[in-house]
Amino acid sequence: MSSIPEKFYVTTPIYYVNDIPHIGHAYTTIAADILARYNRMNGNDVFFLTGTDEHGQKVEKAAKDRGMTPKGHSDLMVKNFNELWVKLNISNDAFIRTTDVEHKKIVQEIMSGLWRAGEIEKRSYTGMYCTPCERFWTEKDLAEGNCPDCGRPVERIEENNYFFLMSKYQDRLIKHIEQNPRFILPGTRRNEVLGFLKNNQLGDLCISRPAARLAWGIPLPFDENYTTYVWFDALVNYYSATKYLAPEKNKTGFWPAQHHIIGKDILTTHSVYWSTMLMALGMPLPENIFAHGWWTVRGKKMSKSLGNVTAPGELVDRFGADAFRFFLFREIPFGLDGDFSEEALIKRTNTDLANDFGNLAGRVLTMAEKYFGGALPEPAGEENEMRLLSEEISAGFDRSLKRLDFHGALDEVWRLVSYTNKYVDSSAPWTLAKDPALEGRLRTVIYSAVEAVRIITLYLHPFIPEATAKLWRQLGFEQDIRSFGTRTACGWGLLKPGVKVQKGEALFPRVETGDPAVKQEKQKNKEAKKEKQHMTEQNMIDLIGIEDFAKVQLKVGLVLSAEKVEKSEKLIKLKVDTGEERQIVAGIGKSYTPEYLVGKKIVVVANLKPAKLMGIESHGMLLAATDADGVCSILALDKDVQQGSRVK
Ligand code: MSP
């Protein structure tokens, strides 16, 4: 292991105080917590920051609706976040509030610096403004006249404002993203941002609001008639915190951050606004921005009006913080969207935590007590395969967490969990114990199984800190689990024979489905299913027979070349080999660059009548999916299949 501590700075978004915290907020914060804990265990110098975004129109309005001042309202809301973080065992080193005096001062210093350097300009501006999103849009951005993000009506506003000259950094930003493949992760998000930057002219960013319209914010230091745009104020938190909230021993040394963990909803503000702001300031960019996926509840977006906002605090009260934390990262690969249901949470808790891991730990400790009075026996030999597996996992676990692949890291650990369960079953210590001639073998089996449980416990600690800390003590350690590193202490043989181990109460009691709350959850699921069935019945009218589908000839195509259609934002002209060469025009230019498409195997409707798009002939159609957020994904093949093959 490297003995020099590395600095590790990880952040979450700062959350708006107009809402109570829900699963989405908890998700990002737990992800950052896992990384922070893992890095601390391995001796790194960690700064883990979370906090709240308290300025702007949304908060001003939420406070007004409650008849409170924005600050009074924020003070109350901040409590909800802090209480939840304690419940979830979040180990943040600091909590920033954008109303902190120090933060406000730093934002003003940065503004003044940019103003003096000529990076900010005053201009008259007319734009379509979405109040809930606090964003200006151009007419062509609008979706049927409404805000393309939230779908709500926009207002035409004309005013003088200050602009950050963001556009001049477009090429530098493209280069930076291209040269640093880990800067934006996952890769799909990176491609999206690159596609956007390469196919659109980046505008300048309006960074002020007239104080007469919005007073709740940081005044512009060079013009008191204006308030700083809330996103400009908010993004600066990642830097300002290093100046006044970072741990004493490395004050000011934490910038740049290793990871900004965010949800996919705020990728543009982070990858484009924040990056170009830093460029203008001559400051280094964060090493990585990771945009994770979206949690829905029974297939629907969480929203107050749908009444499906699941309060994480309640889930913790019923199932425990560990079960909730574990579920979120075991269930869905980080980066993809996921659907939350209590049923799935219970299933995971019962299978993975209660059965696989909890039972294993309980069994081996019980046997150590029963056969050896709790003193860990000296093994008569070494279980090489087990040792090798635990070493192999160490590398895989590290590699996965470096990429924020929490799911992959847990998969690695579960290889050892499954192996050890099988090992105990097939070694049958209860049979060995009956024959004194097999005493040596019994010692080896019990020692090895307990040692494997110890290693698993360490790996799982960043994910499930409570249960693993308890189990660590049951394994005979007096020293806190946090002072052992996964990289060093996961080596085989750290547990010394003779140490006193003892079984405690079950770490993860099975959740019984007779529980009234669980019954209620089942009922809700039934209703959701019914609703779905009803919807399907309503859609029956649209059903087609197989003979109808057979009329559509789908083929695998290899993209030979691709280029943008001039004067069009959306259209890309492709030469595709589908057994015969053809030209296709596809409306995917907002999501894909031509370079990305070349060499890809796609799916093409091959027997479509030719059509002309912007005067260019298209012989066929490429298949792609677009979701409600406008994310577009082409259908590609997961194995290499010969072009021209039929898709049925
Ligand atoms: N205040 C801004 C962020 C400023 S950062 C400089 C903001 N706040 S927010 O309260 O709306 O929080 C957004 C973040 O919460 C998302 O980026 C994501 O991290 C998390 N989530 C909110 N809802 C979510 C889901 N449904 N699913 C997963 N995470 C989501 O935007």
Side-chain angles (χ1 to χ4, degrees), residues 347-363:
K347 204 163 156 209
R348 271 286 169 208
T349 310
N350 283 346
T351 52
D352 291 15
L353 290 179
N355 284 358
D356 293 355
F357 177 53
N359 250 348
L360 172 68
R363 296 210 275 169

Side-chain angles (χ1 to χ4, degrees), residues 14 16 22 24-25 28 53 231 238 263 265-266 292 294-295 302:
I14 46 172
Y16 286 128
H22 57 66
H25 305 122
T28 324
D53 191 353
W231 268 103
Y238 297 133
D265 53 324
I266 52 177
H292 64 67
W294 211 243
W295 281 98
M302 277 179 272

Side-chain angles (χ1 to χ4, degrees), residues 12-19 22-29 52-54 58 81 230-231 233-238 261-267 269-270 292-297 301-302 337-338:
T12 73
I14 46 172
Y15 304 109
Y16 286 128
V17 285
N18 57 340
D19 206 355
H22 57 66
I23 302 179
H25 305 122
Y27 187 47
T28 324
T29 313
T52 41
D53 191 353
E54 303 184 8
K58 276 186 196 178
F81 283 94
V230 65
W231 268 103
D233 158 4
L235 288 161
V236 171
N237 95 86
Y238 297 133
I261 307 183
I262 57 169
K264 63 180 182 181
D265 53 324
I266 52 177
L267 181 57
T269 47
H270 282 75
H292 64 67
W294 211 243
W295 281 98
T296 49
V297 173
K301 220 174 160 166
M302 277 179 272
D337 295 340

Side-chain angles (χ1 to χ4, degrees), residues 15-26 52 59 62 66 73-74 76-85 302-304 307-314:
Y15 304 109
Y16 286 128
V17 285
N18 57 340
D19 206 355
I20 49 166
H22 57 66
I23 302 179
H25 305 122
T52 41
V59 176
R66 297 176 73 187
H73 162 82
S74 300
L76 282 182
M77 297 304 277
V78 161
K79 271 201 199 140
N80 295 329
F81 283 94
N82 274 324
E83 276 168 20
L84 180 63
W85 300 155
M302 277 179 272
S303 89
K304 275 191 226 161
N308 65 351
V309 181
T310 310
E314 270 172 39

